[in-house]
Amino acid sequence: MRRTSSASAPPPTPTAPRRSATPSIEHGAFMDEGVIPEMVARGTAYVPTLSSVIAIAYRHKVAGSTDMYEAIMTDIVGRHMDSVRMAWAAGVPVATGTDTNGEVVEELELLAEATGANPLDVLPAATSVAAEVVGLGGTTGVLEPGLAADVVVDGDVRAGFEALWRPRWGVRDGVVFDGAPMPLGLRLTEMRAAQG
């Protein structure tokens, strides 16, 4: 069976998960309380792609379009974060997705920010939940011998996501690859530059 997902930018209707018959709704920036119970009932996952939307806002900021940056952050990102918060609180499975502009570690950071959850609570969004959403649960997504890929970080994820930006090794099908620091996204680069 081929898996599909349903992209949703305008508010999904309460029957959208039932009508789409897909395992996940992507983006879902403007969800409301009406759609969440249907997602829970059907086990529909939510892949918000927060980092891609924020990357668009930061591109406007870097280009000097402060008004557009502020409008995107207020009118879209603020509501998008609310959608994530509602879905998380209701128990909707939330997975990371980056669309075309985002990054997985940044997506985890934004999920933690939106939900108030700690790093270990949101980490499954990029591992086991993400694997389930794409139909690879039991093949990958957890650190177990015999599964498809592992990553070894140098640090404690419980203290924050910084360790994930610096993987020590990656392991795929038993082959060890040296890790390398991941580049920071535009938003994080800007934030760190502003902090000095």
Side-chain angles (χ1 to χ4, degrees):
M1 177 170 92
R2 187 176 196 149
R3 295 181 74 87
T4 60
S5 65
S6 179
S8 175
T13 64
T15 59
R18 181 173 49 240
R19 286 181 304 160
S20 70
T22 61
S24 65
I25 290 180
E26 320 295 316
H27 314 304
F30 305 109
M31 288 201 292
D32 60 30
E33 294 85 0
V35 74
I36 302 293
E38 184 70 22
M39 291 177 75
V40 170
R42 295 192 52 82
T44 303
Y46 179 32
V47 184
T49 66
L50 288 164
S51 60
S52 64
V53 177
I54 286 181
I56 294 166
Y58 272 83
R59 283 195 174 87
H60 283 286
K61 183 178 182 182
V62 168
S65 181
T66 307
D67 290 345
M68 182 60 81
Y69 162 78
E70 289 174 3
I72 292 170
M73 292 300 289
T74 302
D75 299 339
I76 300 172
V77 173
R79 293 193 55 202
H80 204 168
M81 298 285 262
D82 290 341
S83 293
V84 172
R85 190 173 11 267
M86 285 187 299
W88 183 272
V92 170
V94 177
T96 56
T98 59
D99 207 26
T100 57
N101 299 304
E103 290 144 352
V104 173
V105 179
E106 185 172 18
E107 189 76 8
L108 287 169
E109 292 174 341
L110 292 166
L111 290 176
E113 182 181 330
T115 63
N118 69 51
L120 284 180
D121 288 339
V122 298
L123 190 58
T127 57
S128 58
V129 176
E132 290 292 333
V133 167
V134 297
L136 294 175
T139 302
T140 190
V142 294
L143 298 175
E144 288 182 8
L147 296 189
D150 297 333
V151 63
V152 180
V153 296
D154 188 10
D156 187 349
V157 177
R158 293 173 295 185
F161 295 101
E162 196 62 34
L164 294 177
W165 289 106
R166 302 180 320 274
R168 178 172 271 182
W169 304 289
V171 182
R172 180 171 180 185
D173 297 328
V175 178
V176 178
F177 298 91
D178 285 335
M182 296 172 64
L184 298 176
L186 183 57
R187 176 185 75 94
L188 294 176
T189 301
E190 286 285 308
M191 289 172 66
R192 290 185 181 189
Q195 293 169 352

